[in-house]
Amino acid sequence: MTDLVASTALDAFLERARARLRPEPPGPHDSTSNPRGDHDLEPDVLEAALARPPRLAAVLVPVVPRDDGVSVLFTLRSAHLRDHSGQVAFPGGKIDSSDPSPLAAALREAQEEIGLDPAAVTPLGYLDPYLSGTGFLVTPVVGLVAPDATLTLNPHEVADAFEVPLAFLMDVANHALHSREWRGRQRRYYAIPFGERYIWGVTAGIVRNLYDRLRDADEPTPR
């Protein structure tokens, strides 16, 4: 019965992913079709984020089939990093000039950060680009990861890796709006607490977009 449930969950996810994800990433100079971003909740962030040309980045949203269903892989950034230390993230980073595509950048970063072999990843499509308040335009690449793929964490960048059931992430009841002071004012952001893990900010915003892309029309409308 467990195998049947897992197979059904994977088949349902793959069907939706193929039908609803972007088949190609946006180009670096197009309008990005009104990118998602921190400005979804704080519109005044957009002007600051676009004060200079956005810095291009890509992340891998790793989806892993398991015996009891489907999960999503996250990392916990090392505490000593200059940017976003100790935060939950997806594997990824800046797109280098030597990267031929956002997909190549996401796979390269995943291999550097967690030792994930690019051959173990089947690309499924792209989410909407995400514009952060700090000026990064992030292209999320959704990929199916072989369940027997081994990870080797780079301790200079990643303190831990963990998985969260996709069903938990796709339940809008688990999506919260939190706030904290940033640069002298209260800022709202998405947060998805999971046990002792606190998924928030850009990472939670990307998960939210995954929900928006995969949900049915009769499912709850995002708050």
Side-chain angles (χ1 to χ4, degrees), residues 23-145:
E24 299 291 338
H29 303 297
D30 71 14
S31 64
T32 66
S33 301
N34 187 22
R36 302 296 300 268
D38 294 347
H39 58 278
D40 286 353
L41 297 176
E42 300 289 350
D44 64 305
V45 170
L46 184 60
E47 182 178 355
L50 294 178
R52 61 184 66 183
R55 293 169 286 178
L56 303 181
V59 298
L60 178 67
V61 181
V63 178
V64 190
R66 295 298 185 195
D67 291 342
D68 56 351
V70 181
S71 66
V72 177
L73 176 68
F74 295 87
T75 67
L76 183 68
R77 291 172 60 82
S78 295
H80 65 269
L81 292 174
R82 183 181 64 180
D83 297 322
H84 309 296
S85 60
Q87 292 185 14
V88 172
F90 288 118
K94 296 177 183 177
I95 298 178
D96 292 342
S97 58
S98 59
D99 292 318
S101 65
L103 171 61
L107 293 178
R108 173 183 56 76
E109 287 282 350
Q111 188 169 34
E112 293 175 1
E113 292 180 7
I114 60 175
L116 179 61
D117 186 349
V121 182
T122 301
L124 299 176
Y126 300 84
L127 296 173
D128 299 325
Y130 192 99
L131 183 65
S132 75
T134 54
F136 280 98
L137 185 61
V138 183
T139 299
V141 183
V142 181
L144 188 69
V145 177

Side-chain angles (χ1 to χ4, degrees), residues 157-198:
E157 298 191 52
V158 175
D160 195 11
F162 62 97
E163 296 179 18
V164 178
L166 179 66
F168 180 91
L169 297 173
M170 295 298 99
D171 184 347
V172 74
N174 297 320
H175 299 189
L177 280 177
H178 290 179
S179 66
R180 66 173 57 181
E181 185 173 326
W182 186 66
R183 295 183 179 178
R185 60 160 291 180
Q186 288 294 119
R187 294 288 188 184
R188 296 180 302 159
Y189 56 88
Y190 287 118
I192 307 174
F194 178 72
E196 63 181 11
R197 309 294 188 178
Y198 187 63

